[in-house]
Amino acid sequence: MIRFENVTKRYRGTSKPALSEVDFEVLRGEFVFLVGPSGSGKSSCLRLILREDTPSEGRVIALGRDLRTMSTRKVPYFRRHIGAVFQDFRLLPTKTVSQNVAFALQVIGASRPFIQQAVPEALSLVGLTGKGKRLPHELSGGEQQRVAIARALVNRPQVLLADEPTGNLDPATSADIMQLLARINLAGTTVVMATHEAGFVDQMQRRVIELSEGVMVRDESHGGYGDRR
Ligand code: ADP
Ligand code: ADP
């Protein structure tokens, strides 16, 4: 589903690479935690998968496409198959919950009847039935993240990327979001989640890929946050 082949990423104007020869493969249906301290390269990995950036060396294959040779023209079509959620939710503040979710379908030219059916379905999936007419600032942080998840899933992507999705939430709300992501994974969506929440990683015992200063130091199929090889 996602393959990193000896990926090195250097940002302009920096001496040390953000990623050094990172090599892994994520299979269909997996739940993968990407762990490591701040600055270890987790977001860089996710940006490469979304083709928001390209490697300096090596290659990234996602959904069977070589992202190095993919033309810029094809990137928006490719991204339809990948949902993404972030620590800061990134909702459109002047649009309602329903409009935020519908927007993801409007930009790909989905029909009105389809949107009218898909939006309530997505909101129901994340437990927000009845909140469609609210504005983001009228919701709690956890609810806002649920809207972001609904928006990411309404296209039925094969992969969901989550970059510190619980980073702005209190522990109880974070646990709810974690449970929701686990449920989404059980339903068949591949999930890659960058986090430094040790508790969830320990609890879930899923695959853990650990980065340290851009180097992959661990890839464990059922690991905790701080386990050693
Ligand atoms: P993490 O998500 O684990 O916090 P990042 O992928 O954001 O790590 O960052 C990895 C390293 O790359 C850090 O040293 C960071 O400062 C650097 N970095 C990230 N983005 C850029 C950028 N656009 N330009 C220069 N350096 C960057
Ligand atoms: P992180 O702090 O997780 O490393 P960044 O803030 O560096 O993430 O942003 C990652 C990518 O998302 C960048 O390509 C940036 O242009 C894009 N981005 C940042 N903020 C927004 C936003 N509000 N809406 C859409 N894209 C955004």
Side-chain angles (χ1 to χ4, degrees), residues 14 111 125:
T14 60
S111 73
L125 175 77

Side-chain angles (χ1 to χ4, degrees), residues 161-218:
L161 304 180
D163 195 352
E164 301 280 0
T166 62
N168 280 342
L169 304 175
D170 63 67
T173 309
S174 295
D176 291 343
I177 294 294
M178 191 65 245
Q179 224 171 43
L180 176 58
L181 294 176
R183 193 151 57 76
I184 288 162
N185 174 247
L186 269 179
T189 307
T190 307
V191 178
V192 180
M193 170 172 168
T195 187
H196 37 233
E197 302 246 22
F200 293 136
V201 182
D202 289 341
Q203 229 169 51
M204 298 265 297
Q205 291 292 310
R206 299 300 188 94
R207 181 166 172 200
V208 178
I209 293 176
E210 180 177 347
L211 294 169
S212 170
E213 301 186 0
V215 176
M216 209 174 104
V217 293
R218 178 162 62 111

Side-chain angles (χ1 to χ4, degrees), residues 11-12 14 16-19 36-45 47 53 163-164 194 196 211:
Y11 290 104
R12 225 179 321 165
T14 60
K16 224 164 50 99
L19 295 173
S38 188
S40 57
K42 304 182 297 295
S43 299
S44 295
C45 281
R47 283 201 295 271
D53 213 339
D163 195 352
E164 301 280 0
H196 37 233
L211 294 169

Side-chain angles (χ1 to χ4, degrees), residues 16-189:
K16 224 164 50 99
L19 295 173
S20 298
E21 299 185 6
V22 171
D23 200 276
F24 64 83
E25 181 166 22
V26 175
L27 303 178
R28 182 184 298 274
E30 275 194 297
F31 192 114
V32 182
F33 284 114
L34 211 50
V35 307
S38 188
S40 57
K42 304 182 297 295
S43 299
S44 295
C45 281
L46 298 182
R47 283 201 295 271
L48 290 172
I49 297 169
L50 278 169
R51 185 50 162 78
E52 286 180 1
D53 213 339
T54 51
S56 312
E57 288 159 43
R59 36 176 214 171
V60 177
I61 316 268
L63 313 179
R65 298 156 175 89
D66 182 341
L67 303 192
R68 187 183 45 178
T69 55
M70 179 183 291
S71 68
T72 314
R73 194 167 44 84
K74 292 203 170 136
V75 169
Y77 298 94
F78 162 73
R79 288 206 188 120
R80 291 177 189 179
H81 303 287
I82 301 189
V85 296
F86 303 90
Q87 178 170 355
D88 56 1
F89 319 137
R90 299 189 187 175
L91 300 174
L92 300 166
T94 60
K95 292 199 182 286
T96 65
V97 165
S98 288
Q99 287 167 343
N100 265 279
V101 177
F103 188 68
L105 292 169
Q106 284 158 355
V107 296
I108 68 168
S111 73
R112 263 179 80 94
F114 181 82
I115 293 174
Q116 276 166 359
Q117 187 194 334
V119 170
E121 274 176 17
L123 290 179
S124 154
L125 175 77
V126 300
L128 285 182
T129 298
K131 307 242 160 132
K133 292 199 159 51
R134 306 273 190 98
L135 287 167
H137 73 83
E138 297 171 329
L139 300 176
S140 70
E143 288 171 331
Q144 290 183 50
Q145 191 59 295
R146 287 171 186 274
V147 178
I149 293 170
R151 180 181 59 184
L153 292 178
V154 73
N155 282 326
R156 302 190 177 271
Q158 299 173 60
V159 179
L160 178 66
L161 304 180
D163 195 352
E164 301 280 0
T166 62
N168 280 342
L169 304 175
D170 63 67
T173 309
S174 295
D176 291 343
I177 294 294
M178 191 65 245
Q179 224 171 43
L180 176 58
L181 294 176
R183 193 151 57 76
I184 288 162
N185 174 247
L186 269 179
T189 307

